[in-house]
Amino acid sequence: MYRFLLSPRWLGALALTLVAAAVMVFLGNWQLDRYRGRTEVNERIDAGQRMAPAPLADALRAPSGGPGTVGPAPAEDKVWTRVTVTGRYDPANTVLVRGRTVDSRVGFEVLTPLVLTDGTALLVDRGWIPPAAGGATAQPSVPAAPTGDVTVVGRVHETESGAGAVARRDGLLEIRRIGVSRLAGELPYPVYGAYLLLDEQTPAADPVFKAVPVGHANNWQNFGYVVQWWLFAVMALFGYGWVARREARRAAGIGVTEAPLDRAAEPAPTASA
């Protein structure tokens, strides 16, 4: 009944179906890996918000080069670790990160290097401020950083990609994204390989600053793609089996009914003489 499946046409269709299903399963597995990775990131973000702050050295290795160099990037499991560190702000090298959105408003994030006792520096994201009157790119008036020793508590944030060029305008550095290695080349000291997203500060931070929200990765979207691709694979195999069964039943004459006679199309009988 199913011997026709050994014909070249049906063997080719089977091979194509199996390849398509395998590709769909692979894509589902790839999305599953992305789901797991994003879930781990979200779990680290949540854990970082709850944990007691640890010393900076527990999460980041100090830079060992000269001025303008950058230290090692944090290990993956150390990103979002909550740390505390004491140093002195260097307002002369404050960085404005333009085009940043908080509460649906475009403004600037303000980074100020915190210089430690050993001469190294950690970039601290002090928060978000709105632009000056005149548009989203109008340079704001940056609240003064505290003088003297400052203790900050924040979460380790890895460097961002696509930072672009660093410019200096009216005495402040400006950049589009927070590329630590890009900024380190403009600074007169070695810089840690990540920056700190400020949670708390002693003395207290200026109330003009708004905390920069941390967005969670959309891991459930990836899980939806997993289900989608695996379902497509099942549908491809089911579709092949359904078409093959229909062909077998047709060849065996099962379920085939003769078309009803169309009496109206028949010639009218003639009267006998």
Side-chain angles (χ1 to χ4, degrees), residues 28-232:
N29 290 339
W30 175 61
Q31 289 292 343
L32 182 61
D33 288 340
R34 288 178 60 83
Y35 165 76
R36 289 169 175 164
R38 288 185 168 185
T39 299
E40 291 175 1
V41 171
N42 290 341
E43 289 172 349
R44 287 201 301 272
I45 291 173
D46 294 337
Q49 292 174 328
R50 297 188 301 265
M51 70 182 295
L56 178 64
D58 287 359
L60 276 173
R61 290 170 52 195
S64 57
T69 61
V70 64
E76 185 177 3
D77 61 346
K78 297 300 182 182
V79 177
W80 301 113
T81 297
R82 198 161 185 251
V83 300
T84 181
V85 59
T86 299
R88 294 187 172 220
Y89 279 129
D90 176 18
N93 287 295
T94 293
V95 180
L96 292 179
V97 189
R98 58 185 180 272
R100 311 292 274 205
T101 302
V102 171
D103 295 336
S104 301
R105 296 185 63 193
V106 179
F108 295 82
E109 288 180 36
V110 178
L111 274 71
T112 303
L114 185 73
V115 183
L116 312 187
T117 55
D118 61 0
T120 62
L122 174 68
L123 291 172
V124 177
D125 190 332
R126 295 163 60 198
W128 180 94
I129 57 176
T137 60
Q139 192 176 84
S141 177
V142 179
T147 58
D149 288 344
V150 180
T151 299
V152 299
V153 175
R155 283 163 288 168
V156 174
H157 197 303
E158 59 189 345
T159 187
E160 298 177 351
S161 59
V166 183
R168 189 176 286 272
R169 179 163 61 122
D170 297 334
L172 298 175
L173 295 169
E174 283 195 14
I175 197 168
R176 178 63 183 84
R177 293 177 64 79
I178 306 174
V180 175
S181 58
R182 289 272 189 173
L183 292 168
E186 304 291 328
L187 302 175
Y189 25 65
V191 178
Y192 277 82
Y195 69 96
L196 203 65
L197 197 61
L198 183 66
D199 287 335
E200 305 168 20
Q201 178 182 286
T202 306
D206 192 294
V208 171
F209 287 108
K210 286 190 175 182
V212 177
V214 177
H216 286 67
N218 188 1
N219 56 335
W220 286 107
Q221 182 182 48
N222 296 105
F223 186 79
Y225 289 147
V226 172
V227 175
Q228 172 184 294
W229 283 117
W230 287 355
L231 184 60
F232 285 166

